[in-house]
Amino acid sequence: MDVFTDRMDDAWEWWAAAVEEAQEGRWVRDAVERQVMADVMAATNALHGGRTAPFTEDGWHVRIGRIANWAGVLRLAARAGGWELRPVVGHRPGRPAGMAELLSAVYAIGEQGERWMTLLLREGRVPPEKEIARAEAFLTGPGSVEDLELFFYDD
């Protein structure tokens, strides 16, 4: 497997672990976790106008920037709640999984966006379209991070 595929697969594993813990009732978000999640969603609004990923009609800077913006927002969210972002690639999510695992999963994709943006700005290189599309689909659209609130029953 390539580096991006490993990152994406492991991010989904960590995301799924946190969602499973919540759906099984082993992780019930507290008020801070609910507010942080609401703030993350507000700060990362993809402004896609109801379009579904991939956003092929948008320019590379917009597409990659939309992904990269998640990284900064998640670093702030982790600091606000006192959670530690951990690397997901090659690691299993902690159990019980909770907010730290969830934020780490999503951060892995945002961090990839930052790496892509650096390559685009410094070298003019664009990652494979398929990888950008997969990252966009992870973050926005049905069953994605954008729909995350639907997976929690603790409101």
Side-chain angles (χ1 to χ4, degrees):
M1 275 193 214
D2 66 357
V3 173
F4 176 76
T5 299
D6 290 343
R7 179 179 293 266
M8 180 62 71
D9 290 348
D10 290 346
W12 274 119
E13 181 182 354
W14 282 56
W15 183 89
V19 168
E20 179 184 321
E21 295 290 325
Q23 290 182 340
E24 295 294 326
R26 293 184 294 268
W27 172 35
V28 177
R29 296 178 305 165
D30 62 26
V32 171
E33 290 168 330
R34 283 192 298 278
Q35 186 59 56
V36 165
M37 196 172 291
D39 291 342
V40 166
M41 300 316 293
T44 57
N45 184 339
L47 302 174
H48 53 64
R51 295 176 293 149
T52 57
F55 304 114
T56 55
E57 61 277 7
D58 294 339
W60 293 117
H61 287 85
V62 172
R63 292 180 74 188
I64 295 170
R66 189 182 283 133
I67 297 164
N69 284 344
W70 283 83
V73 170
L74 290 163
R75 284 190 294 267
L76 290 171
R79 282 187 205 114
W83 301 290
E84 179 184 347
L85 294 173
R86 295 187 302 266
V88 301
V89 178
H91 301 279
R92 308 282 304 180
R95 295 293 181 154
M99 195 68 163
E101 288 75 20
L102 180 62
L103 294 177
S104 294
V106 182
Y107 177 72
I109 303 307
E111 182 182 44
Q112 182 66 55
E114 287 182 325
R115 292 174 181 188
W116 287 334
M117 186 58 79
T118 298
L119 286 174
L120 179 61
L121 295 175
R122 287 188 185 158
E123 302 173 20
R125 289 185 22 212
V126 177
E129 166 73 27
K130 180 178 140 186
E131 291 183 3
I132 292 176
R134 286 187 68 202
E136 289 171 331
F138 179 87
L139 297 169
T140 60
S144 71
V145 175
E146 186 176 49
D147 279 350
L148 193 56
E149 278 299 318
L150 301 175
F151 295 96
F152 291 92
Y153 314 125
D154 55 11
D155 290 343

